Amino acid sequence: MLAAECAWAILRAEHARMRELSTRVDGTLKSGGWAHPQSQAASLVELVEHFQAFEETTHRPKGVVLLETMRGRSAEADELLNELELESRHCDDLLSQSKAALKLAGSGDMGAARTAETLLQEHRRLMAAHLEREDTLLHSQTALLLTGEEWAAVVSSMSEAMGGPRKNPTGGVRFPEDDWR
């Protein structure tokens, strides 16, 4: 099923981007300079916001039809989808809390700096496990449960979420996300 392979190639590429952004946040944390008064806490907030924006506006919209199509197919799939949804909400909460703590850390609150670091480390751990579960367990469930026609609908919805294909001045097809690369 070519449509399934295309959909998972897109999702895995986005997962790789999310891992890369998480690594950048972790690298900034480990540098330590962000936690001092008059620090670069604002740049760490920017990284966190960039991660959030990528996930909310680029990644999640592509999975809407996939997840809706999966619901109700099997008890095992529904349980997995519920767990993934809870994990995703928890990750969102961790990022929101870390941003608030980082803003306080930027004002010199060292307790807030430690809190932000703990929250971001927990986010990184949980997000890595979450993406791994999507890449393995969700992938397996979709392979078992979705038909070729359903995959075509999923890929079509992904194309719409990306703004759809458009003509490139040189005549090929381009997608809007190509503009940021």
Side-chain angles (χ1 to χ4, degrees):
M1 287 205 272
L2 183 58
E5 291 174 27
C6 289
W8 276 104
I10 291 167
L11 294 172
R12 284 195 172 119
E14 289 181 358
H15 290 175
R17 178 69 176 139
M18 292 166 70
R19 286 179 180 103
E20 175 188 321
L21 290 169
S22 184
T23 297
R24 287 179 58 197
V25 168
D26 191 55
T28 302
L29 279 175
K30 287 179 179 175
S31 75
W34 65 272
H36 301 291
Q38 310 304 325
S39 73
Q40 299 173 7
S43 66
L44 192 50
V45 169
E46 255 182 58
L47 275 174
V48 169
E49 288 174 343
H50 185 69
F51 184 98
Q52 285 177 307
F54 181 81
E55 186 176 16
E56 292 170 9
T57 63
T58 301
H59 184 61
R60 281 190 192 157
K62 292 187 186 82
V64 171
V65 171
L66 175 67
L67 300 179
E68 288 174 358
T69 304
M70 292 283 299
R71 283 238 183 254
R73 294 296 180 90
S74 76
E76 185 179 357
D78 285 346
E79 183 179 338
L80 176 61
L81 293 175
N82 290 337
E83 290 170 4
L84 290 172
E85 186 177 330
L86 287 173
E87 289 171 4
S88 185
R89 281 192 207 142
H90 186 59
C91 283
D92 290 346
D93 291 343
L94 289 169
L95 287 181
S96 294
Q97 292 170 30
S98 69
K99 277 187 354 187
L102 284 169
K103 289 176 183 175
L104 291 172
S107 301
D109 183 337
M110 293 310 290
R114 286 187 295 277
T115 298
E117 186 168 11
T118 299
L119 291 167
L120 288 170
Q121 288 172 345
E122 175 66 9
H123 176 267
R124 179 178 167 89
R125 185 195 63 74
L126 184 59
M127 182 55 69
H130 178 83
L131 294 175
E132 181 64 24
R133 286 168 46 98
E134 283 189 5
D135 286 342
T136 57
L137 300 175
L138 184 60
H139 180 261
S140 295
Q141 287 294 310
T142 61
L144 290 171
L145 300 173
L146 298 186
T147 67
E149 291 168 357
E150 289 167 328
W151 276 115
V154 167
V155 170
S156 177
S157 73
M158 287 179 158
S159 179
E160 287 176 23
M162 294 187 308
R166 62 180 185 229
K167 281 291 192 180
N168 174 328
T170 61
V173 174
R174 289 184 46 211
F175 289 89
E177 66 274 8
D178 291 335
D179 295 337
W180 61 268
R181 289 186 191 168

